Amino acid sequence: MNPALLLNFTKQELVDRYSGSILGAAWTLILPLVNILIFIFVFSNLMGSRLPGSSSTYSYSIYLIAGMIPWIAFSNTVTRSAFTFSGQSHIIKKIRISLPHLPLYIVLSESIIFLISLLFFLLFLAMTDNLPGTSIVILPFIFITQQIFAYALGFLFAIFDVFIKDIREFVGVIFQIWFWLTPIVYVPDILPTYAHYWLSYNPAYIFIKAYHELFAFGNPLNTQSLMILVVIAHLLLALAYLTFKKLEKDIRDFL
Amino acid sequence: MIQVTALSKKFRLYRKASDRLREILFRRAFHTEYQALANINFTVQDGETLGIIGQNGAGKSTLLKLLTGVLLPDAGQIAINGRITGLLELGTGFNMEMSGLDNIYTNGMLLGMSRTEMDAKRESITGFSELGHFVHEPIKTYSSGMVMRLAFSIAIHAEPKCFVVDEALSVGDAHFQQKCMTRIREFRQQGGSIIFVSHDMNAIKVLCDKAILLDHGVLIEEGDPEYVVNAYNYLVARLNDQENRLHLIDSDQHDYGTLAARIEEVSVVGEDSQSSVVSAGETTVIRIMIHAQQDIDEATVGILIRNRYGQDIFGTNSYHLKQPLALHAGQRYALRYTLPMNVGSGKYSITVALHSGPTHVADCYHWRDHVAAFEVAGTRGDVFTGLCKLYPSFTMTLV
């Protein structure tokens, strides 16, 4: 798949989806903005939530948004990639197209939505004087690793989705549970001790924690656990690719 | 050049798609196999048009999908030096909400064109499609003909090494079809190849340089289109023999007379094709079997050829040919009309009448409408258009 086609698919996702509507592509900006404003307004101004041990008005909102935006990108990338083969079967059945490249347009468009959200978030941080400083240079590294992990997982699900229709519901349920197993809405301190042990096996928490350290706590990052995530992501990628190589002929036959 | 070597494709039929995964887990087979194509070999030279014919389920579509790379073969190679574009994927990925122009880009890129290529060809594509200002409107406002015109215009500008055409070049009106054909001819002259699948034997004969015949996934004939089409007709006739006999006792037929003599059987066979599909200009034999019930001194047997609209194209009888027939009760006679079938392409029916005198009005022994049918496909000798060939001479003088 050439880059132009990938960009065209992405443009369809972000812009063309709103063609015919009055605001058009502006919706791509409006939705993340509304999301962030709700988090700020509801939790900081209305409920007055605070992080434990913090008196800052916005501390909880920052914590929540710092975990929420990357989680939305991660979860949307995986769940939507999972349908790319069965969802785009009308194209795959008619035109020679590289299947491993196909989910990339989802990765790309979800990443762009993340960047837009991040921009609004940074704007809010700047206004409330909570910007993280130079340690922010690590952010692209965290995000790219996260999205490689998401792509590998989505690709794997997309392969199985061709054979098992239940994958659709299964992925939805898994992500619902996974969301609550990961400290995004709550802080990990409220968990009982045995849960802390299990938390170290949650790969999503590796990157969510990194965002928390960066934006909410201003702590130095645990690069060691990030390296573990890099390894996990690439191992999963290799697994997905090998599975694909074994099943490509069947995928094309079944679609 | 396209070279296909030892191409085989097997489909595994599963009751459920998930059985494929069970197979891997349990290392046991959960499928039945279906050999869609077995050991197919052929080459298509640059500028050549190959016709693929065969009955439904013969493997034609599978072959096309392998050629375009939508499916992967189990064994064998397909060597193509360039892009291969299918006219079977017309309009893939069209977004109904978006304008024709936007869709030109999306569809063109799916067909493998780059953005710069699209920028260069945009004008030419919109011009060819003759959509005018509609090109700026969303596709959902188009008629189906307009959508097809747009799709075809994009596909034909993809400039592949080879076009794969599945049936239907029936895009738009006669004017647009002619434009498409002209464009395809140019494409061939510039060295492009075409692989063409059709059930229209006339189109195969007219358009193709050579043809292959598939039967149950096996290539059984290859060569000159007329020869392969005849092989196909023979294949079909053999399979449909029983049905054909049933058709003869169809209740819709107009079949009447005093039955002093009966028309028992009528067949039409091309001298070369040995089937009821003949080329225009081919010597054709109409064979009529009659059975006399009474003695008749001067009987007449006539034939009438009608086209598919029921128009009388040509009729004559033995009275006009000055060959009165004397029939004896209880005897059977075989009569033959031999004529060059100088009529235009299409389907025809034959009506046979047995009567006395010049017309059947006086004494009609037996009249059978549509007692046999035949098809004219392709032309032998000089090409002509219209209903019949009139053998003109042509001169030019300087004045």
Side-chain angles (χ1 to χ4, degrees), chain B residues 53-55 58 213-216 220 228-241:
Chain B
I53 53 180
Q55 294 189 290
L213 172 59
L214 296 180
D215 185 37
H216 294 100
I220 58 171
V228 177
V229 166
N230 287 342
Y232 172 73
N233 284 325
Y234 176 67
L235 183 81
V236 175
R238 219 176 38 190
L239 292 166
N240 289 349
D241 200 23

Side-chain angles (χ1 to χ4, degrees), chain B residues 68-89:
Chain B
T68 51
V70 168
L71 291 179
L72 303 176
D74 290 326
Q77 271 100 46
I78 301 168
I80 303 168
N81 55 347
R83 186 148 76 199
I84 183 162
T85 296
L87 290 187
L88 54 161
E89 54 233 32

Side-chain angles (χ1 to χ4, degrees), chain A residues 13-14 17-18 24-41 61 64-66 68-70 72-73 76 109-124:
Chain A
E13 264 313 293
L14 294 176
R17 161 155 46 156
Y18 302 109
W27 284 112
T28 314
L29 303 177
I30 293 169
L31 296 177
L33 179 64
V34 168
N35 243 348
I36 289 175
L37 289 179
I38 286 175
F39 289 146
I40 296 169
F41 181 72
S61 287
L64 181 67
I65 296 168
M68 208 60 181
I69 321 175
I72 291 172
N76 280 358
S109 59
E110 288 301 334
S111 301
I112 289 168
I113 291 174
F114 170 80
L115 283 178
I116 293 168
S117 304
L118 184 70
L119 225 60
F120 287 129
F121 184 42
L122 289 176
L123 207 65
F124 165 72

Side-chain angles (χ1 to χ4, degrees), chain A residues 3 26 35 62 86 94 119 126 128 137 142 161 183 198 210 214 249:
Chain A
N35 243 348
I62 291 170
S86 55
K94 287 188 171 170
L119 225 60
T128 57
V137 293
I142 307 171
D161 177 52
W198 288 109
L214 187 62
K249 212 154 58 179

Side-chain angles (χ1 to χ4, degrees), chain B residues 8 33 39 54 69 86 107 166 168 343 347 381-382:
Chain B
S8 291
E33 281 187 349
N39 195 25
N107 190 248
D166 197 356
V343 294
K347 293 191 168 158
D382 303 335

Side-chain angles (χ1 to χ4, degrees), chain A residues 1-9 11-12 15-17 19-21 90-97 159-166 243 245-255, chain B residues 9-12 14 16-21 24 65-75 80 84 88-90 92-93 95 97-98 102-103 105-107 109-115:
Chain A
M1 187 149 72
N2 61 27
L5 184 58
L6 177 62
L7 287 177
N8 195 59
F9 269 129
K11 178 178 153 281
Q12 278 187 347
V15 182
D16 301 349
R17 161 155 46 156
S19 73
S21 62
H90 61 285
I91 290 174
I92 299 169
K93 274 193 286 195
K94 287 188 171 170
I95 287 175
R96 171 192 222 128
I97 197 162
I159 294 168
F160 289 120
D161 177 52
V162 175
F163 302 98
I164 310 168
K165 291 291 146 227
D166 310 62
T243 314
K245 273 290 148 201
K246 180 148 179 61
L247 290 171
E248 178 174 12
K249 212 154 58 179
D250 297 283
I251 293 169
R252 291 183 181 274
D253 288 355
F254 276 118
L255 280 173
Chain B
K9 176 73 183 172
K10 213 180 274 175
F11 283 117
R12 294 162 166 183
Y14 296 88
K16 298 196 299 276
S18 57
D19 282 351
R20 174 72 187 107
L21 297 183
I24 296 172
K65 283 180 175 170
L66 289 171
L67 285 169
T68 51
V70 168
L71 291 179
L72 303 176
D74 290 326
I80 303 168
I84 183 162
L88 54 161
E89 54 233 32
L90 283 180
T92 300
N95 182 342
E97 293 292 331
M98 290 174 49
D102 288 330
N103 275 294
Y105 277 90
T106 309
N107 190 248
M109 281 179 194
L110 276 174
L111 294 180
M113 286 186 265
S114 69
R115 193 150 195 113

